Amino acid sequence: MYGKLHSACLYGIDGVLIEVETDLSNGLPQTSIIGLPDSAIREAVERVRAAIKNCGYQYPLQRITINLAPADLRKEGSSFDLAIAMGLLMTSGQLVLPPQERTLVVGELALDGSVRSVPGILSMVDLAKRQGFTSVLLPLDNVEEASLIREIQVFGIRHLQDIAPKSPDEPANSAGIPNHANAGPVVLKNYAHLVAPITVKTNKMADGTPRQTPLFADDYSDVLGQHHVKRALMIAAAGMHNILLVGPPGTGKTMLIKRLPSILPPLSEDEALEVTKVLSAAGKLKEAPQGLIADRPFRSPHHTISTSGLIGGGGIPKPGEVSLAHRGILFLDELPEFQRQVLEVLRQPLEDRTVTISRARAAFTFPAQFMLACSMNPCPCGYLSAHSEEQRCICSPSRVAAYRAKISGPLLDRIDLQVEVPSPGEWRKSTVSPSSAEMQAKVIHAHLIQANRYARSSVRWNSQLSGTFLRRTIRLPQEAEQLLEQTLQTLNLSMRAHDRIIKMAQTIADLDHDGEIVTAHVAEAIQYRQLDLNLF
């Protein structure tokens, strides 16, 4: 006797389709699960055995072989329990499933037959839709998340008994549990008796207009002065450039960066699906009452974070902070306080925009396309650049050098804007400040210019340009080219810094609503490389 159902598991953040094959043959009662299962899957035998018995069915007393195909792919997690249980009931003749339905079955079983939620359900349902499945059978707690994928039926169940509706004349034991084993096979024509699919929620209202995102409590209008820093932050947001703020304590570095999400445009539908998938795979998406994630992520890990916590890892690799910040901002406050080896792992994802974690049996790739925003003091005491008699720096040159050496040159080279934040005395007199809404309007306009310019390519922002495409897309005037070459020779900048200055100049031109680079744009981009200029 042979049966087959389809289930799924996570591979990184992507869903992988798994065939759950069940074979019953004569021999001593024994259950074997093959196909590279992990310990959680091997333990499913006892969970499924108890769940089947406690739901009034009979566990087959035969030689049982369960194969998870493809056999050469490592399987992990508890998402196969429900498919294994239904496969055993189907193969043993106790349950007849609808023949016309092509259904993906996912869920973990408790010993009493309850169906528990599993992480990463969004990626699995998206896979089912792309593979042509008509419906998905999953835990009720995952229905809210799974319904974010449109054009596929989602059925949620609380208990294994929910699959087979109880008839009025069906015998039951003293506990009220139906005795399906003595009542003959249960024939299902469809899944209409299960929980009906809930209304699919999207990022659009009923009239088709975009769903309004909640207003940010923090606004740049609250920050007095600091106009050049806000200008730099606006440039960073317009081109998704990396930025570093350097200044004494109390100058508002953290406050300025924490308001950065308020000027970024909301996620597009494709980006929202990517971000929601990452959160789902990490087990951080408990419910989605407003549809897909609409706001760009803002992650701010503590400086004691480990390499695995930042980049991802573990026995079963999970996304790290760089992936949780995908399509958003990764904020590293007090940058030199992070361990040097932790910071060094940022170099590869900043260039490739992905993270690959290799294990003995497989390699997992996570997306990591984020804007890096950092802050730091100019020296250990923090007052090297303070212009005040009361606040004098007490650090020796060697201490300052050792403090800054915690951040490697290659990492600093990948930070486009390095901006000094002055001490409070230089901006207290200013009372007029642009609001986040005004700054966001300019950023959105710059994003639209870039979207039209790169419509026929995979590039979305100026910061993504590289190589031949950069040379072919952006051409500098002769005067601006001469200024840039002279700067490179004088400061001995790298070619990476050369390209990043060009990309920043293009973003500045987009913010000025013309898109054509002039010498002033290149000069402004150069002055944002303040660590290269040794200005503090």
Side-chain angles (χ1 to χ4, degrees), residues 122 145 148 276-277 279-280 282-288 293:
L122 189 67
E145 177 184 341
L148 297 176
T276 311
K277 276 185 178 181
L279 294 177
S280 176
K284 297 183 180 296
L285 188 68
K286 302 303 180 184
E287 57 183 19
I293 301 299

Side-chain angles (χ1 to χ4, degrees), residues 32 45 52 73 85 90 103 114 147 173 175 193 195 275 293 301 311 371 452:
S32 301
V45 173
I52 286 179
L73 180 69
M90 176 184 66
T103 304
S114 301
S147 63
N173 60 17
H193 63 283
V195 177
V275 172
I293 301 299
I311 213 73
M371 178 203 301
N452 294 331

Side-chain angles (χ1 to χ4, degrees), residues 454 456-457 465-475:
Y454 309 127
R456 297 183 180 180
S457 68
L465 293 172
S466 63
T468 305
F469 191 63
L470 170 64
R471 307 288 186 273
R472 189 172 65 248
T473 305
I474 302 179
R475 297 185 180 276

Side-chain angles (χ1 to χ4, degrees), residues 181-405:
N182 298 331
V186 179
V187 181
L188 298 181
K189 295 182 179 180
N190 52 52
Y191 297 111
H193 63 283
L194 297 177
V195 177
I198 66 173
T199 303
V200 176
K201 297 177 182 179
T202 67
N203 289 332
K204 294 184 179 180
M205 304 296 287
D207 57 359
T209 58
R211 188 185 299 274
Q212 295 296 322
T213 57
L215 295 176
F216 288 93
D218 298 326
D219 194 280
Y220 276 117
S221 60
D222 303 329
V223 183
L224 300 179
Q226 304 286 30
H227 296 295
H228 76 290
V229 183
K230 293 178 185 176
R231 167 75 172 177
L233 290 166
M234 192 164 57
I235 293 171
M240 297 301 284
H241 299 284
N242 304 322
I243 185 169
L244 169 66
L245 300 186
V246 186
T251 55
K253 303 184 295 296
T254 302
M255 178 179 61
L256 285 161
I257 291 181
K258 284 189 174 180
R259 283 163 168 74
L260 192 53
S262 65
I263 65 174
L264 289 174
L267 294 166
S268 66
E269 189 130 352
D270 291 340
E271 291 175 333
L273 182 59
E274 292 179 18
V275 172
T276 311
K277 276 185 178 181
V278 174
L279 294 177
S280 176
K284 297 183 180 296
L285 188 68
K286 302 303 180 184
E287 57 183 19
Q290 298 298 327
L292 296 173
I293 301 299
D295 299 326
R296 295 190 180 274
F298 183 88
R299 304 294 300 184
S300 180
H302 192 260
H303 61 78
T304 57
I305 191 171
S306 65
T307 301
S308 297
L310 185 63
I311 213 73
I316 301 175
K318 295 293 183 182
E321 290 292 334
V322 296
S323 296
L324 295 175
H326 180 58
R327 300 291 185 184
I329 300 169
L330 177 65
F331 176 37
L332 302 184
D333 199 7
E334 301 299 338
L335 187 63
E337 300 301 328
F338 287 79
Q339 297 182 31
R340 184 184 175 98
Q341 62 268 26
V342 172
L343 294 177
E344 289 304 296
V345 300
L346 288 172
R347 290 160 57 176
Q348 182 261 336
L350 285 174
E351 290 292 332
D352 300 340
R353 300 181 180 89
T354 58
V355 173
T356 300
I357 302 174
S358 298
R359 292 292 180 263
R361 294 184 180 272
F364 301 84
T365 300
F366 300 104
Q369 186 168 313
F370 58 92
M371 178 203 301
L372 178 64
C374 311
S375 68
M376 62 176 287
N377 296 325
C379 65
C381 76
Y383 297 108
L384 179 64
S385 58
H387 304 287
S388 171
E389 292 295 332
E390 296 81 9
Q391 298 175 339
R392 292 184 178 182
C393 178
I394 59 174
C395 302
S396 64
S398 59
R399 284 193 65 196
V400 174
Y403 179 75
R404 295 188 178 184

Side-chain angles (χ1 to χ4, degrees), residues 514-532:
D514 49 20
E516 295 293 331
I517 298 179
V518 298
T519 306
H521 297 150
V522 176
E524 183 178 357
I526 292 173
Q527 65 96 15
Y528 286 125
R529 306 284 300 190
Q530 295 196 10
L531 285 177
D532 294 330

